[in-house]
Amino acid sequence: MTVDTETRPLPAARHARAAVAVLFFTNGALFANLLPRYPQIKEDLAIGNGAYGLAVAAFPAGAITAGLAAGLLIRRMGSARVAVLGTLLTGAGILAAGLAPSVALFATALFLAGAMDALTDVAQNAHGLRVQRLYGRSILNSFHAVWSIGAVTGGLMAAGAMSLGLSLGVHLAVSAVVLVAAAGAALRFCLPGPDNEPEETGPEETGRKETGPERLTAGGARGTSRVGVVLAALVLIATAGTLVEDAGNSWAALYLSDALHASAALAASGFIALVGAQFIGRLIGDRLVDRFGQRAVARAGGLITAVGMGLALAVPTLPGTILGFALAGFGVATLVPAAMHEADALPGLKPGSGLTIVSWLMRLGFLLSPPIVGQVADAAGLRTGLLVIPAAGVLVVLLAGVLQARPRRD
């Protein structure tokens, strides 16, 4: 078994894996350069929490609008080209959002950037799954870990730009040029050929496919009828992960600067702590799942999220709140990759359909979170609005039963 794996065209696979990692890195870093600038943009546009929440919800609204078009574009252009083109247009949209002179133009630019980001997200995951099939084992978590590295890097770039006093336009223009150039350079190392050509799979991947959904098909028609219910639960699990992630994206800097009176540069540490801990969780996630199973890992993560952020909100201090955001990021680290893996292996669906549905609908967390938190914040304070984070952790604990109970044995 292991000899067969070693005889694969590993150099080409390794090059493609590195290229996809660059795509995930640039995708994470692009938007993260804008997020710590949100308090400045909110102040410059002189808008309240409710209007701000609606405006930033334009990004996920654009993603949901365009998400289903990704499949068609990938079939026509190839996943790698779509990912790089989406990166270019996302960078342009983020720059336009940073320079927007009105709330309407700010929201419009975020809508377009979100639409392009959705195309990039689906395309890079699709290409990552192609590379994964060449490897014959799961590597998708590692790509999402690299995305977290990119997000941390982008947050640090923004904090550094603010510390140096760089203007918003100069900062976002420089970051866009550098990151888009890196994505373009990675394109030549991606896998050639159309995405509908199946890659050769190895014994590890074959074993994974056999063990994933068998608990659903064992009951025949009854098992098949549960697929829709399981898919809905997977969407909710992924949405809980994105909801927590969005709370860090959209509100961490504002909460630390307004409620806890942190400086602008220090306020960025809430977001950095969340995505940094998320990276650590994804880095060790595969090993934890191999040992304890995805269900146990998800439940433990949901509990960590609920307790960690719940205590941070109950006893608000600057160090405790930053730690709370870090625990929340660590707790939800493996949720989106887990939901994607599980959905991709569901029986009775066309290849890629489960992945597309989860990737598309999980963005509801990004769409619904900003306006809900914003309205609650205007009515009862942002501290109350951020209770959505521990609530998401509780939801994961309740729904984790649809995930695999035991580690896969290839």
Side-chain angles (χ1 to χ4, degrees):
M1 301 287 280
T2 57
V3 173
D4 292 340
T5 302
E6 294 297 328
T7 60
R8 298 178 184 287
L10 287 179
R14 285 197 300 267
H15 293 161
R17 181 177 184 177
V20 175
V22 170
L23 296 179
F24 272 81
F25 177 88
T26 56
N27 182 248
L30 264 178
F31 194 41
N33 268 276
L34 177 65
L35 294 175
R37 293 284 198 164
Y38 271 177
Q40 176 186 344
I41 295 173
K42 181 175 179 287
E43 181 179 354
D44 291 344
L45 297 178
I47 55 177
N49 287 325
Y52 167 79
L54 290 173
V56 298
F59 188 92
I64 290 177
T65 301
L68 291 181
L72 177 62
L73 291 174
I74 288 171
R75 287 191 293 272
R76 290 186 175 183
M77 298 175 57
S79 56
R81 289 189 178 90
V82 172
V84 173
L85 178 62
T87 300
L88 170 64
L89 297 177
T90 300
I94 288 172
L95 176 59
L99 299 177
S102 68
V103 179
L105 291 176
F106 174 61
T108 300
L110 283 182
F111 182 91
L112 296 175
M116 297 303 101
D117 179 75
L119 301 181
T120 302
D121 183 48
V122 175
Q124 68 188 10
N125 274 287
H127 207 77
L129 287 172
R130 285 188 65 187
V131 178
Q132 177 172 275
R133 287 190 287 271
L134 283 177
Y135 268 72
R137 56 184 172 85
S138 175
I139 59 172
L140 193 59
N141 258 325
S142 67
F143 291 134
H144 285 261
V146 172
W147 184 96
S148 296
I149 297 176
V152 171
T153 302
L156 292 173
M157 289 170 67
M162 288 186 289
S163 298
L164 294 173
L166 292 181
S167 69
L168 192 58
V170 171
H171 161 216
L172 294 179
V174 170
S175 65
V177 169
V178 170
L179 295 170
V180 169
L187 179 61
R188 66 187 295 253
F189 298 102
C190 292
L191 295 175
D195 284 72
N196 57 1
E197 287 186 1
E199 275 74 40
E200 182 185 356
T201 60
E204 293 93 339
E205 181 71 8
T206 303
R208 185 188 73 80
K209 289 293 184 182
E210 290 172 353
T211 57
E214 65 184 7
R215 64 182 184 281
L216 295 177
T217 57
R222 181 182 177 186
T224 303
S225 68
R226 293 186 56 212
V227 171
V229 176
V230 172
L231 185 59
L234 293 174
V235 169
L236 289 175
I237 289 172
T239 301
T242 59
L243 189 150
V244 172
E245 187 177 316
D246 180 73
N249 291 352
S250 302
W251 300 103
L254 284 175
Y255 180 66
L256 290 171
S257 61
D258 292 350
L260 301 179
H261 311 294
S263 65
L266 184 58
S269 61
F271 165 74
I272 294 170
L274 187 145
V275 295
Q278 187 182 58
F279 159 70
I280 294 173
R282 287 173 172 171
L283 193 65
I284 65 176
D286 286 326
R287 282 174 286 178
L288 291 175
V289 170
D290 286 342
R291 182 170 182 178
F292 302 108
Q294 190 60 259
R295 183 182 301 177
V297 172
R299 279 182 173 156
L303 185 62
I304 290 171
T305 300
V307 174
M309 198 63 196
L311 288 175
L313 294 173
V315 186
T317 65
L318 188 57
T321 301
I322 294 173
L323 177 60
F325 278 115
L327 290 173
F330 183 83
V332 303
T334 64
L335 295 184
V336 171
M340 286 181 170
H341 274 118
E342 204 77 14
D344 193 47
L346 285 175
L349 299 176
K350 293 181 179 179
S353 295
L355 173 64
T356 300
I357 292 171
V358 169
S359 299
W360 183 56
L361 290 179
M362 76 177 185
R363 291 180 177 270
L364 287 173
F366 289 114
L367 176 63
L368 298 177
S369 175
I372 291 175
V373 174
Q375 293 298 326
V376 174
D378 279 344
L382 185 52
R383 180 181 169 192
T384 303
L386 288 176
L387 287 173
V388 68
I389 297 178
V394 172
L395 180 65
V396 171
V397 172
L398 296 176
L399 295 178
V402 300
L403 298 172
Q404 188 181 16
R406 294 176 301 278
R408 291 189 174 95
R409 291 179 172 82
D410 296 328

